[in-house]
Amino acid sequence: MIGVFDSGVGGLSVWKELFRELPGEKFLYVSDSGHCPYGPKPKEEVIGRATAITEYLISRGADIVVVACNTATAAAISHLRGSYPIPFVGMEPAVKPAAINTRTGAIGVLATKGTFKGELYLRTLHRFASNARVIEQVGEGLVELVEEGNTDTPQAREIVGKYVRPMVESGVDHIVLGCTHYPFLEKVIRAFAGEGVEIVNPAPAIARRVSQVLEQLKGQGKVSAMNMGSNTFVTTGGNLELLKRMVGDIAPDDFETFIYNTIDL
Ligand code: DGL
């Protein structure tokens, strides 16, 4: 089973790519909406949430855990890898492809405060983006818009415009979505970025990585090669209806077979 978690519904942007890549697998997605957002929380608190969720996923049979949250990856992935004997695949802002492909020499990165402070981000910046001008913007308020289902509203346009317009004015030709909630705002981001700007979402690359790891586990006989595909979504918050609606919006037609639940964690 592939366990997937995020501070909320944002990680569904990753599950969407995972499901596309591995439609026959068994998924359990945890939306930690009861404790969202992670971005402004101290690192120790995010590690605490990531640990509680990982233990739940392992107790339900997870063979791999996908940390579908940039903030939780930044805060907790080394701790998780050091604590549990299963593979973890995390998120990382896609600064590398943006820095390699930029023609203007300027790239924008939208992420949470926690992600920008993470060692992984700083290391990636240093290794791959020293040739580029990197315009960083904390997407304050964006996670809340997605968690409230307000992705196509005047309020969303106002906040997104405040962040994206200055990036475009300073010449970026790539905007990296460094938080898994932000793909749900892509339409509004695109409206301000214009057609000439590449919006970079690392989720498809993460799904390919998970597929490779799963193949390795199957090759080693650690997980069964045969599986009955299923998709279960649980939330720690009171937003089961939003979770269902968002899955319904992004899933193919057979999503009626999916299971939804609220849990205490
Ligand atoms: N989806 C999370 C991420 O990728 C959102 C963080 C938050 O809850 O603030 O960073």
Side-chain angles (χ1 to χ4, degrees):
M1 187 259 272
I2 303 173
V4 184
F5 80 89
D6 177 41
S7 64
V9 290
L12 291 175
S13 64
V14 181
W15 168 80
K16 176 185 173 186
E17 300 300 331
L18 288 166
F19 186 64
R20 203 199 302 263
E21 183 80 23
L22 300 160
E25 294 300 329
K26 191 170 169 184
F27 290 99
L28 173 57
Y29 180 95
V30 177
S31 164
D32 198 15
S33 295
H35 301 87
C36 188
Y38 285 176
K41 286 191 169 55
K43 185 176 170 178
E44 289 312 316
E45 209 174 317
V46 178
I47 292 178
R49 293 309 304 155
T51 303
I53 296 167
T54 297
E55 293 200 347
Y56 168 75
L57 288 169
I58 291 176
S59 76
R60 297 287 306 267
D63 301 295
I64 301 181
V65 170
V66 182
V67 185
C69 174
N70 293 76
T71 312
T73 303
I77 200 141
S78 333
H79 176 84
L80 296 174
R81 286 185 175 136
S83 308
Y84 303 97
I86 58 165
F88 289 85
V89 178
M91 304 300 297
E92 190 183 329
V95 168
K96 181 181 169 188
I100 289 172
N101 294 315
T102 177
R103 296 169 310 277
T104 61
I107 65 173
V109 185
L110 258 180
T112 69
K113 216 168 161 182
T115 297
F116 282 129
K117 281 196 303 209
E119 249 169 65
L120 191 64
Y121 173 73
L122 297 174
R123 228 183 308 129
T124 309
L125 210 58
H126 185 71
R127 275 179 69 191
F128 301 109
S130 48
N131 64 324
R133 195 155 51 85
V134 182
I135 295 157
E136 295 175 354
Q137 175 66 56
V138 173
E140 210 160 315
L142 299 182
V143 167
E144 289 82 350
L145 286 173
V146 178
E147 287 295 312
E148 287 154 13
N150 290 329
T151 49
D152 202 1
T153 56
Q155 194 197 2
R157 284 187 279 282
E158 192 193 320
I159 305 180
V160 170
K162 205 169 66 184
Y163 300 152
V164 173
R165 222 181 282 119
M167 288 185 176
V168 176
E169 281 165 8
S170 60
V172 306
D173 61 356
H174 286 71
I175 295 178
V176 177
L177 304 183
C179 167
T180 55
H181 280 73
Y182 301 168
F184 291 105
L185 291 159
E186 187 164 344
K187 206 169 119 197
V188 188
I189 296 172
R190 169 66 66 207
F192 288 99
E195 288 307 316
V197 172
E198 187 81 27
I199 296 173
V200 192
N201 174 7
I206 299 299
R208 288 193 294 276
R209 176 74 196 128
V210 173
S211 174
Q212 286 168 357
V213 174
L214 192 64
E215 276 314 303
Q216 282 167 9
L217 290 179
K218 285 181 178 173
Q220 293 160 2
K222 289 189 180 157
V223 302
S224 152
M226 291 292 286
N227 214 340
M228 286 281 284
S230 70
N231 289 271
T232 303
F233 301 87
V234 299
T235 176
T236 61
N239 62 343
L240 203 59
E241 284 311 312
L242 175 74
L243 186 64
K244 280 187 196 172
R245 180 151 53 82
M246 289 183 67
V247 172
D249 284 348
I250 61 178
D253 297 340
D254 61 350
F255 70 92
E256 287 88 359
T257 60
F258 295 175
I259 298 162
Y260 302 89
N261 253 317
T262 300
I263 53 164
D264 248 343
L265 249 184

